[in-house]
Amino acid sequence: MKFVSLLALLPLAAAAPSTSVSAPGLTVPNEAVPQKVRVVGVSLLGSGCPAGTADVQIDASKTLLEVTFSEYIVQTGPGTKASEWRKNCKLTLNLEFDEGFSFSTLATDMSGFAQIPKGSRGLCTNTFDFTGDGEQSYYSIALAGEREGPFTLSAEPDIVSWSPCGGTSAIMNMNTQCNISPTRDAALIAVDRISGKVTVNVSLDWRKC
């Protein structure tokens, strides 16, 4: 697992599959990409994504999925509750695409704001799997103190799992989770103060079945 700091925050975008977005550092070498890809259904569950606070879009190249959260706040310290020390959001995404293709997650990056004192550590993980397939891709992003300000960090998986072949749709499950330890010290992982979002970008790789 490797982590790479990026200098630029990604632009905020609303949920619109036809809108183009860009993500520096995320590349997709495979040129076999379907002509049509659509996100046709999204369900949300978790403390980090109350109803109406998460958006999903796919870019015009069909190789980048962007998920944004507007109320994702993890905080520790005096006066905070256990429910604030850890947040998660599980998204179930139904993607439709041209017949004869399969896809996997190739890399992720995550952007937001962090205020972590010396001696504390934030940890964010993103896991992906496909309904009907047991393999899971796992990405881990560490936020060690001392730091304060916006962050954008990238991660690559140890295991790459592919959506099943033989159809024109796949259901991908994505679980984003962040926590801070120890919980006694004041610390924060939250939406970026400029964009008002926590953003997770997922680079997609396509192959022909």
Side-chain angles (χ1 to χ4, degrees):
M1 197 77 63
K2 64 181 182 181
F3 311 102
V4 182
S5 293
L6 303 180
L7 298 179
L9 287 179
L10 297 170
L12 172 66
S18 61
T19 303
S20 178
V21 295
S22 60
L26 297 185
T27 58
V28 178
N30 192 347
E31 295 181 358
V33 177
Q35 294 296 310
K36 297 180 181 179
V37 181
R38 293 193 306 148
V39 179
V40 295
V42 180
S43 64
L44 307 172
L45 179 65
S47 57
C49 54
T53 65
D55 291 329
V56 181
Q57 70 171 15
I58 192 164
D59 79 333
S61 74
K62 317 301 188 298
T63 61
L64 181 69
L65 190 72
E66 181 185 78
V67 184
T68 57
F69 306 94
S70 59
E71 291 189 19
Y72 201 106
I73 301 174
V74 182
Q75 54 186 341
T76 59
T80 60
K81 302 176 182 179
S83 59
E84 300 174 272
W85 302 341
R86 179 189 302 269
K87 292 294 177 68
N88 83 293
C89 183
K90 182 177 181 180
L91 295 92
T92 301
L93 310 176
N94 188 354
L95 273 69
E96 286 187 352
F97 44 86
D98 298 336
E99 187 175 3
F101 285 90
S102 176
F103 72 94
S104 69
T105 60
L106 196 64
T108 66
D109 72 34
M110 191 169 189
S111 301
F113 179 89
Q115 187 173 354
I116 312 290
K118 185 177 181 180
S120 294
R121 180 176 184 266
L123 179 66
C124 295
T125 61
N126 294 295
T127 58
F128 299 86
D129 65 78
F130 296 98
T131 298
D133 181 73
E135 282 195 313
Q136 185 178 77
S137 298
Y138 177 87
Y139 302 77
S140 179
I141 296 172
L143 293 162
E146 180 178 8
R147 68 183 301 149
E148 180 176 354
F151 71 86
T152 302
L153 300 175
S154 281
E156 297 179 1
D158 288 332
I159 298 175
V160 175
S161 62
W162 291 85
S163 65
C165 283
T168 59
S169 66
I171 297 176
M172 183 173 74
N173 304 301
M174 169 184 172
N175 191 21
T176 295
Q177 180 174 277
C178 292
N179 67 81
I180 303 171
S181 61
T183 60
R184 65 178 182 272
D185 297 324
L188 179 71
I189 299 173
V191 300
D192 180 68
R193 294 179 177 178
I194 297 176
S195 70
K197 302 287 184 179
V198 167
T199 302
V200 179
N201 285 283
V202 185
S203 181
L204 302 180
D205 192 16
W206 293 90
R207 69 183 182 187
K208 292 184 177 179
C209 294

